[in-house]
Amino acid sequence: QARLVESGGGLVQAGDSLTLTCTVSGPGFRTDDMGWFRQAPGKEREYVAAIRRRFFQTYYADFVMGRFTISRDDTKSTLYLQMNSLKPEDTATYYCQQVMSAGGRWIAKGSSWGQGTQVTVSA
């Protein structure tokens, strides 16, 4: 099973940018669709963005459309999330995960999660 390690979070002000990184060890990165999720305190984990294997098509939740960019480097088994124009409501712990499309939604395919990386956006 793949091991996922997220990094790059921090404390920023509204309007600032951050780039999150997820390094993946173990099998499957090149053959998996990958995505980012986030979980705010007291809320359920929610989908943020996904990127397909091979042709790298990207998909985004409405609330990050136009602000976040997901990308991947298969030579490094690394997933990225460039976050611009951050808002206080983006405050959450961010996780990467193998994903799959189901019923028009992107859902987590893997069952083992990393520790996540905390993003805090002050007003």
Side-chain angles (χ1 to χ4, degrees):
Q1 197 168 10
R3 179 170 177 262
L4 310 165
V5 179
E6 302 90 349
S7 63
L11 172 62
V12 297
Q13 294 184 331
D16 284 351
S17 298
L18 277 175
T19 300
L20 306 184
T21 299
C22 168
T23 56
V24 182
S25 58
F29 185 84
R30 289 176 183 261
T31 60
D32 279 321
D33 300 332
M34 296 294 299
W36 287 95
F37 294 80
R38 70 185 187 185
Q39 187 168 20
K43 295 187 177 181
E44 292 189 353
R45 188 173 291 161
E46 62 181 355
Y47 156 78
V48 174
I51 184 167
R52 287 201 181 273
R53 65 188 188 278
R54 294 180 64 189
F55 299 113
F56 298 1
Q57 298 101 320
T58 58
Y59 306 85
Y60 299 94
D62 288 345
F63 52 79
V64 302
M65 189 79 68
R67 300 189 297 124
F68 291 11
T69 302
I70 187 172
S71 61
R72 60 191 293 165
D73 185 341
D74 285 2
T75 66
K76 299 179 179 178
S77 295
T78 300
L79 183 72
Y80 303 97
L81 186 68
Q82 172 69 42
M83 306 187 296
N84 298 327
S85 303
L86 282 161
K87 304 176 181 180
E89 51 264 44
D90 294 320
T91 295
T93 301
Y94 285 71
Y95 302 87
C96 62
Q97 185 55 270
Q98 300 158 313
V99 296
M100 59 185 295
S101 179
R105 300 188 303 123
W106 288 99
I107 62 173
K109 178 182 177 182
S111 59
S112 177
W113 295 84
Q115 83 288 349
T117 186
Q118 176 67 39
V119 173
T120 303
V121 185
S122 63

